[in-house]
């Protein structure tokens, strides 16, 4: 009887040890996360934000998280599909422009309104906080890692834009429905397209110019294709666009607790600020390239900028009225957005 008891005890210890070993093995598992985005790796955000973030995730996890990078839509699909690729698990993580899926991120759109925000780091801090506070429901289908903006938006055109009148009739690329409405109000003919299509559209004459921030001009060779750039007085740009860095919820939920913490520690408002800083640094580089190329940089004065502000204000009126029909208080959200931008602007 004692022999049987001893054997049973030894067997029980073996099962327990096997369980402990399995638990240890599980805790030490490695995970590969596929990250998909639409720009080439040398562009500002991949080079200065996404790739450094992936490297930090790998380092902080002791090599247990591997981030497999797919640039320039290498996994297939188009930029407007990227958010859903994260939602559906086609990719584990994606970075994309929210304005590529019009009518979907209604509350987040407020940051796209004309002359809303300026430098990207402060604006990105404000936007991430705004999303968490006022628009979290629009991102509940994913694990949102960061929401951010680019810096001041401006014109890059074949013929110079020296005032409102000179813009009229120009075919100008816009990156979202809000921006396209703004272009219409300003007298241009908007042509909607994702930013990777801009280079070919300019070279083939499909468009006369584009709205983008300085930071993306080198990757798209814009300063080679057009020689005129129009900026506005003050710290705010003509417009901005918003971005989401998102993770598939199941991919996050499957991680052990310690690896979830690695993701959590590298997410949120500080990550949004890092994306914004990269944008601001990229703006300086893009401007410097245009200046060294001796391109024509038109700086509209305060009086002319005010004319643009007054004309473009109709875009906000349109948006507020549209939001009323969706039971969203757009005027309140615009006020909250401006308050957060002021809070984060030093």
């Amino acid at each position: 009887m004692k022999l049987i008891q001893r054997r049973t005890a030894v067997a029980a210890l073996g099962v327990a040890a096997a369980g402990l070993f399995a638990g240890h093995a599980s805790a030490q598992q490695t995970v590969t996360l596929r990250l998909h985005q639409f720009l080439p790796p040398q562009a500002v955000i991949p080079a200065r934000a996404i790739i450094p973030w992936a490297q930090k995730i790998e380092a902080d996890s002791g090599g247990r998280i591997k981030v497999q990078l797919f640039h320039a839509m290498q996994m297939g699909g188009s930029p407007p599909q990227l958010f859903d690729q994260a939602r559906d698990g086609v990719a584990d993580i994606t970075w994309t422009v929210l304005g590529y899926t019009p009518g979907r991120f209604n509350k987040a759109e407020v940051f796209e309104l004309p002359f809303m925000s300026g430098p990207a780091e402060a604006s990105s801090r404000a936007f991430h906080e705004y999303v968490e506070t006022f628009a979290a429901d629009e991102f509940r289908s994913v694990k949102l890692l960061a929401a951010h903006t680019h810096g001041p938006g401006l014109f890059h055109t074949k013929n110079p834009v020296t005032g409102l009148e000179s813009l009229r009739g120009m075919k100008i690329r816009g990156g979202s429905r809000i921006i396209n409405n703004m272009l219409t109000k300003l007298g241009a003919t908007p042509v909607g397209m994702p930013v990777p299509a801009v280079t070919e559209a300019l070279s083939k004459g499909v468009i006369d110019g584009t709205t983008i921030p300085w930071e993306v001009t080198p990757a798209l060779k814009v300063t080679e294709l057009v020689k005129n750039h129009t900026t506005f007085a003050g710290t705010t740009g003509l417009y901005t666009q918003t971005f989401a860095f998102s993770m598939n919820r199941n991919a996050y939920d499957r991680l052990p607790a310690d690896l979830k913490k690695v993701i959590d520690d590298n997410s949120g408002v500080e990550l949004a600020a890092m994306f914004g800083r990269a944008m601001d640094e990229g703006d300086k580089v893009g401007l410097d390239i245009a200046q060294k190329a001796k391109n024509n940089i038109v700086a509209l004065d305060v009086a002319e900028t005010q004319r643009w502000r007054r004309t473009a204000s109709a875009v906000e009126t349109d948006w507020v009225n549209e939001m009323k029909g969706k039971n969203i208080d757009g005027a309140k959200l615009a006020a909250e957005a401006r308050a957060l931008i002021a809070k984060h602007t030093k």
Side-chain angles (χ1 to χ4, degrees):
M1 191 67 163
K2 287 181 180 178
L3 181 60
I4 292 171
Q5 287 175 333
R6 279 200 299 273
R7 284 176 176 169
T8 302
V10 169
L13 285 170
V15 169
L20 285 171
F21 180 78
H24 179 72
S26 174
Q28 294 304 313
Q29 69 179 295
T30 60
V31 177
T32 299
L33 298 175
R34 298 157 303 156
L35 194 160
H36 196 202
Q37 58 87 25
F38 60 88
L39 288 176
Q42 70 271 21
V44 168
I45 285 298
R48 299 189 182 213
I50 290 175
I51 293 171
W53 179 86
Q55 291 169 340
K56 189 166 189 301
I57 289 292
E58 292 184 355
D60 289 359
S61 68
R64 289 171 54 215
I65 297 178
K66 306 291 185 185
V67 181
Q68 192 174 7
L69 297 165
F70 294 90
H71 303 292
M73 302 307 301
Q74 287 174 321
M75 291 181 70
S78 61
Q81 296 171 329
L82 281 165
F83 187 86
D84 284 345
Q85 287 187 0
R87 182 197 67 186
D88 299 336
V90 174
D92 300 305
I93 300 169
T94 64
W95 174 73
T96 194
V97 178
L98 295 176
Y100 288 171
T101 48
R104 184 165 181 178
F105 300 98
N106 294 299
K107 297 171 187 173
E109 275 184 332
V110 68
F111 270 71
E112 294 181 20
L113 294 174
F115 298 101
M116 174 61 75
S117 63
E121 181 175 356
S123 180
S124 294
R125 286 182 182 276
F127 183 55
H128 189 90
E129 185 175 340
Y130 171 90
V131 166
E132 287 187 330
T133 307
F134 301 105
D137 59 309
E138 295 182 346
F139 299 86
R140 61 177 175 265
S141 63
V142 298
K143 162 79 173 171
L144 183 65
L145 303 178
H148 73 97
T149 74
H150 64 51
L154 65 148
F155 288 108
H156 311 268
T157 53
K158 293 180 179 180
N159 294 318
V161 175
T162 55
L164 267 175
E165 292 74 16
S166 58
L167 182 68
R168 286 176 189 158
M170 281 193 190
K171 293 177 292 183
I172 303 292
R173 174 263 175 184
S176 75
R177 73 186 196 98
I178 296 289
I179 295 163
N180 287 340
N181 186 29
M182 176 192 71
L183 291 171
T184 300
K185 292 284 196 293
L186 294 171
T189 300
V191 182
M193 66 180 69
V195 77
V198 165
T199 305
E200 184 177 4
L202 281 172
S203 63
K204 290 186 174 180
V206 174
I207 55 176
D208 302 312
T210 184
T211 52
I212 50 173
W214 282 115
E215 59 86 14
V216 78
T217 55
L220 300 179
K221 303 187 184 305
V222 168
T223 51
E224 299 169 28
L225 293 167
V226 303
K227 297 300 178 183
N228 300 282
H229 315 272
T230 300
T231 65
F232 296 82
T235 58
T236 58
L238 174 65
Y239 74 95
T240 192
Q241 286 204 260
T242 58
F243 303 77
F245 193 44
S246 309
M247 184 172 182
N248 175 264
R249 277 210 167 274
N250 289 335
Y252 174 79
D253 290 341
R254 285 194 298 266
L255 295 176
D258 60 336
L259 294 188
K260 283 180 180 173
K261 186 175 187 302
V262 171
I263 297 294
D264 292 343
D265 288 349
N266 289 280
S267 303
V269 70
E270 292 304 322
L271 178 60
M274 184 183 88
F275 275 78
R277 277 194 303 278
M279 290 287 198
D280 288 336
E281 291 163 4
D283 280 344
K284 293 173 186 174
V285 172
L287 172 59
D288 185 59
I289 289 171
Q291 288 172 331
K292 285 179 177 173
K294 300 191 184 311
N295 282 10
N296 177 36
I297 300 173
V298 179
L300 298 182
D301 63 20
V302 172
E304 181 62 23
T305 299
Q306 282 302 115
R307 289 182 69 214
W308 289 70
R309 281 178 173 271
R310 286 193 296 271
T311 305
S313 66
V315 177
E316 184 164 337
T317 302
D318 287 351
W319 182 80
V320 169
N321 289 334
E322 184 185 354
M323 291 304 105
K324 281 180 186 174
K326 299 181 178 184
N327 296 314
I328 295 171
D329 189 343
K332 179 179 183 297
L333 292 180
E336 296 287 0
R338 289 190 172 96
L340 284 169
I341 291 166
K343 168 187 168 181
H344 289 286
T345 301
K346 295 170 184 171

